[in-house]
Amino acid sequence: MPITKSTNNTFFNIRHIFLFSVASAIKIEAVNIIIFFVKSDWMAGSVAKALGAFNMTSFFSNFGSGVFDVTGIVYYLSIIGFCIFLTIQAIQRKRWGGDALMTAVMLAIVVVVNLVVGQIPVKYTQFDLTDNQLYTITDQTKEFVKGLDSDVDVYLVAQSGQEDEQIQKVLGRYESLSSHIKVHTKDPVVNPSFTKQYTDSSLSDNSLIVVCGDKYKVINYSDIYQSEFDYSTYSSQTTGFDAEGQLTSAIDYVTSDTMPKLYTLTGHDEASLSDTLTSQIEKENIDIEELNLVTSESVPDDADCLMINGPQKDITADEKDRILSYMENGGHVLIFTDYTETDMPNLAELLNNYGLSTSEGLIFEGNSQYYYPGYPSYLIPRIQSADAVGSMTSKDLVLMPYAQNINISDDVRSTVSAQPILQTSSKSYIKTDLKNLTTTEKASGDEEGPFTVGAAVTEDYNDVETKLVYFSSSALLDENMNQAVSGGNYELISNVMSWMIDKEESISIPAKSLSTTYLTVTAADAGFWGAVVILIPAALVIGGGVVWFRRRRK
C-alpha cells in the first residue's frame, strides 16, 4: 500500500499518543511512589476503590435495593456521553485531524470525573428511599459518632466477593460521619489468623470486629440480621436488620472507660426480663446481674441501678433496710409492681419514704385516644416532660395494661422532688371492687382521673443524688405490649435507665424491620431487563466500534 499524507498523519498521531501515554504513566507512577513513602496509608485500598468507581453492577444493585446513587447517575451519563462522542467521531471522521487524540482525551475525562465523584462521601451521594430508612443513620448515632475523640477500626470479616452489600452500605455511612472511624475488610482465607486475636470462636462471613486501642467487641453476623421461626412454614424468617444498633453499641463499648451494672432483685417471684429487653439493655452496654438480698448483706458497691420487677411476695424488713441504705448513699432504684391482693408493707414503706404510694383498684380509661381499642384497661398514657424520659414526648406511645394510680405526696422531706412521667386522661377512672366487677363502664362513685402511672423521684442531700423511678405495672415490660406500640415501651425503659445511671443519652438503636415491600421480579422479567440494561447497550457499543473501525480502514 502506497504511503500517503493521510497515512503519515495517522502514524504521527499514533506515535504522539503513545509517547504522551508513556510520559503520563511515568509521571503518575512517580507520584504514587512519593505518596507511598510519605503517606502510605493513602494507598490502602486505592486500586479497589478505583476499580469500584466503574463497577456497573454495584450501581445497579444500589438502585434495586432502594438507594438513589448520584455516583451511579454520573457513571451512566458519562458512559452514554462517551458513546455518543464515539458515534460523532465515526460519522465526522474526515473532518478531524486528531480524532484518536480527542478520543483519548475524552476517555481520560470520563475516568477522572468518575474517580473524583467516587471519592465524595456517601452521605452526599447516596439517598435512602426505602420505606423504613434501612440504610439511614439515625440522628442519635450521628451525634454520638461526631463526638468521638478516639480512633476506631471496624473490620468486616468476609471472603472476597462474599461481602454483604447492606452491611457495606451502613459501614460506608459510618466512615463518612467521622474521620476517627476507619473500615477495613479482612478475608479469613487470606488472613486465617486475624480473628484469633479477638475470639476463639469461628466467625460467620460478614461478622464485624470493632477495635479501639486494647478494647474490642465482636459482632456476629447472626446478631446483625434478626430472625424468627415461622411455625406456619416451619422455616426461619429474617425479620430485622440491626447493623446500626449493634455497631453504635460496639463503638460506645470500646470507647467507654467503664461499663455500668444493673442488678435485678430475686427471691420474690419477680417477673423475668424478655430476651428482647435483655438484648436492648446489653446494647446500652449495661451489664446485668441477679441479686439476692437475703443472702447478701448489702447492695454491691458497683451497682449503678437496682431493679425490682413485679414481685409477687413482699421484701423482708432487712431487705428494705439494705435497699434504703443503698439509696441514701446515692443509689438508683427502678421499681415495677402489679395489682395484687397480697399485702406488701415493706415494699410500701420503701416507696412511702420517698413520698409515693398506690391507690386500691385498677385504672380504666374513658378516652378512646388513651387506651388500646376494645380494652379500656390497656392504657396508653401520655408521656410527660421530664429528664427521665429523654427525648420522648407526648406524641410517642407506650402501652401499659392493668395499672394502678400512683399518689405523689407533698408531705415528704424538702430534699425530695417527684414528678409524673406517665399520666392518663381526665376521663379515666378507678374500679376498686374487682371481684364483683360486672361492667368496665364508668359508674357513680368511681374515682376520676387524671392518674399518674409512672413517676420519677430525686433527692439531693449532702452532694449525693438518689434516684427512684416507679411504674405501677410490670406489663410495661411485656414484649407483646412493646411490639403493639412499635418499640415505644422499651425505648422509654432505655431512656429511664440511661438517666438513672447518669448516661447523657440512651444510644440503644432499635433494629429496623425487614418486613417491607421490595421490588420483586420474575425470572422472565429479570432476563428481559438484563437484556435491556446490559446486552442491548453492549451490542450497540460493539456495533458502533465495528462501524468505526471499518470506516477508518477505508
Side-chain angles (χ1 to χ4, degrees):
M1 182 179 68
I3 299 177
T4 63
K5 183 177 181 181
S6 175
T7 304
N8 286 330
N9 287 338
T10 300
F11 287 154
F12 174 79
N13 288 335
I14 294 174
R15 185 179 62 180
H16 180 76
I17 294 172
F18 175 76
L19 294 175
F20 175 79
S21 301
V22 171
S24 299
I26 293 174
K27 292 177 182 178
I28 293 173
E29 187 61 28
V31 172
N32 286 337
I33 293 174
I34 294 173
I35 292 176
F36 179 79
F37 285 104
V38 176
K39 197 73 174 176
S40 60
D41 57 318
W42 288 4
M43 301 293 291
S46 58
V47 175
K49 291 180 180 178
L51 294 177
F54 301 95
N55 187 349
M56 179 185 295
T57 58
S58 66
F59 297 130
F60 187 74
S61 175
N62 284 342
F63 289 116
S65 59
V67 177
F68 181 82
D69 191 351
V70 174
T71 57
I73 296 295
V74 172
Y75 170 78
Y76 288 123
L77 289 178
S78 63
I79 295 299
I80 291 172
F82 182 67
C83 291
I84 293 175
F85 171 79
L86 290 179
T87 303
I88 296 174
Q89 284 281 77
I91 295 174
Q92 299 183 348
R93 179 179 60 85
K94 294 183 179 179
R95 299 183 183 181
W96 303 89
D99 56 350
L101 179 59
M102 285 295 297
T103 301
V105 171
M106 288 299 298
L107 179 60
I109 292 174
V110 170
V111 172
V112 170
V113 167
N114 279 277
L115 288 176
V116 170
V117 173
Q119 295 305 309
I120 300 176
V122 294
K123 63 180 179 180
Y124 301 117
T125 61
Q126 294 185 2
F127 302 93
D128 189 356
L129 303 182
T130 57
D131 290 338
N132 56 358
Q133 298 292 282
L134 195 61
Y135 311 108
T136 299
I137 303 300
T138 61
D139 292 336
Q140 198 175 16
T141 292
K142 290 178 182 178
E143 291 300 319
F144 168 70
V145 170
K146 288 178 181 178
L148 289 176
D149 54 10
S150 302
D151 292 335
V152 177
D153 292 295
V154 181
Y155 296 95
L156 173 62
V157 181
Q159 293 186 42
S160 179
Q162 301 298 317
E163 299 87 353
D164 186 284
E165 292 183 2
Q166 291 183 343
I167 296 177
Q168 283 185 315
K169 287 184 178 68
V170 173
L171 291 176
R173 292 181 184 273
Y174 270 83
E175 195 170 26
S176 67
L177 288 175
S178 173
S179 59
H180 288 290
I181 297 179
K182 300 296 181 185
V183 177
H184 318 272
T185 300
K186 290 291 184 179
D187 188 334
V189 176
V190 179
N191 304 280
S193 61
F194 173 75
T195 61
K196 292 181 180 179
Q197 56 188 311
Y198 302 108
T199 178
D200 294 330
S201 304
S202 59
L203 292 180
S204 305
D205 260 356
N206 293 290
S207 295
L208 301 174
I209 301 175
V210 182
V211 182
C212 180
D214 296 330
K215 206 170 181 181
Y216 60 86
K217 188 171 185 179
V218 177
I219 306 173
N220 209 307
Y221 179 75
S222 59
D223 295 325
I224 298 175
Y225 283 94
Q226 297 182 344
S227 60
E228 293 180 359
F229 189 80
D230 187 347
Y231 288 95
S232 62
T233 61
Y234 291 95
S235 62
S236 181
Q237 304 290 332
T238 302
T239 58
F241 181 60
D242 197 24
E244 181 186 357
Q246 294 291 339
L247 192 53
T248 298
S249 173
I251 295 174
D252 178 48
Y253 172 78
V254 299
T255 56
S256 299
D257 296 328
T258 59
M259 190 169 180
K261 179 168 284 190
L262 168 70
Y263 282 92
T264 59
L265 190 67
T266 62
H268 316 88
D269 296 333
E270 289 86 356
S272 59
L273 301 179
S274 69
D275 292 339
T276 301
L277 180 57
T278 300
S279 175
Q280 186 152 330
I281 294 174
E282 291 175 345
K283 278 172 62 177
E284 287 269 6
N285 294 313
I286 299 174
D287 193 16
I288 305 175
E289 189 172 326
E290 293 184 346
L291 174 66
N292 190 324
L293 278 178
V294 173
T295 57
S296 299
E297 295 183 355
S298 64
V299 177
D301 294 334
D302 63 346
D304 293 280
C305 182
L306 172 66
M307 176 188 284
I308 304 175
N309 182 25
Q312 300 303 301
K313 297 184 293 186
D314 193 18
I315 59 176
T316 65
D318 288 340
E319 287 178 298
K320 177 201 67 179
D321 292 339
R322 289 163 185 167
I323 295 173
L324 284 174
S325 176
Y326 164 69
M327 297 180 72
E328 290 169 357
N329 286 282
H332 306 149
V333 178
L334 176 59
I335 300 177
F336 299 85
T337 61
D338 292 312
Y339 173 80
T340 177
E341 295 182 354
T342 302
D343 290 333
M344 298 189 184
N346 291 314
L347 183 57
E349 187 176 341
L350 175 64
L351 292 170
N352 289 335
N353 189 63
Y354 291 91
L356 302 181
S357 62
T358 54
S359 300
E360 293 293 329
L362 287 179
I363 300 173
F364 292 81
E365 183 59 70
N367 186 334
S368 60
Q369 298 296 318
Y370 282 72
Y371 68 85
Y372 194 78
Y375 298 89
S377 61
Y378 279 50
L379 310 178
I380 302 181
R382 289 299 179 261
I383 298 174
Q384 306 300 301
S385 177
D387 293 337
V389 301
S391 59
M392 298 184 75
T393 67
S394 58
K395 295 181 180 179
D396 297 302
L397 301 181
V398 296
L399 182 57
M400 192 175 184
Y402 310 126
Q404 294 178 275
N405 175 46
I406 299 174
N407 300 300
I408 299 177
S409 174
D410 294 329
D411 186 17
V412 70
R413 299 177 300 280
S414 60
T415 53
V416 174
S417 175
Q419 61 182 146
I421 56 179
L422 291 179
Q423 278 192 329
T424 63
S425 79
S426 59
K427 292 185 178 181
S428 58
Y429 49 93
I430 295 178
K431 293 286 186 181
T432 55
D433 190 6
L434 298 177
K435 283 186 176 180
N436 301 310
L437 187 66
T438 58
T439 177
T440 59
E441 297 293 329
K442 184 179 182 302
S444 60
D446 290 341
E447 184 181 352
E448 298 180 349
F451 302 112
T452 297
V453 293
V457 180
T458 58
E459 181 175 22
D460 293 305
Y461 183 71
N462 290 337
D463 296 327
V464 174
E465 184 180 40
T466 298
K467 292 180 180 180
L468 167 65
V469 173
Y470 174 41
F471 294 103
S472 61
S473 174
S474 68
L476 185 67
L477 304 181
D478 183 86
E479 188 164 355
N480 293 324
M481 301 301 108
N482 179 63
Q483 291 176 354
V485 287
S486 302
N489 286 13
Y490 287 178
E491 182 180 357
L492 173 63
I493 300 305
S494 293
N495 289 346
V496 166
M497 285 191 178
S498 294
W499 175 73
M500 298 195 77
I501 64 176
D502 298 319
K503 202 171 186 178
E504 290 185 3
E505 187 177 1
S506 167
I507 57 167
S508 181
I509 311 298
K512 296 179 180 179
S513 173
L514 290 179
S515 57
T516 54
T517 302
Y518 289 92
L519 177 62
T520 304
V521 296
T522 64
D525 289 338
F528 171 76
W529 287 111
V532 170
V533 175
I534 299 175
L535 296 181
I536 294 178
L540 291 175
V541 171
I542 294 172
V546 171
V547 172
W548 175 77
F549 181 76
R550 287 182 176 178
R551 290 187 176 182
R552 283 194 58 86
R553 294 288 300 271
K554 293 181 179 179

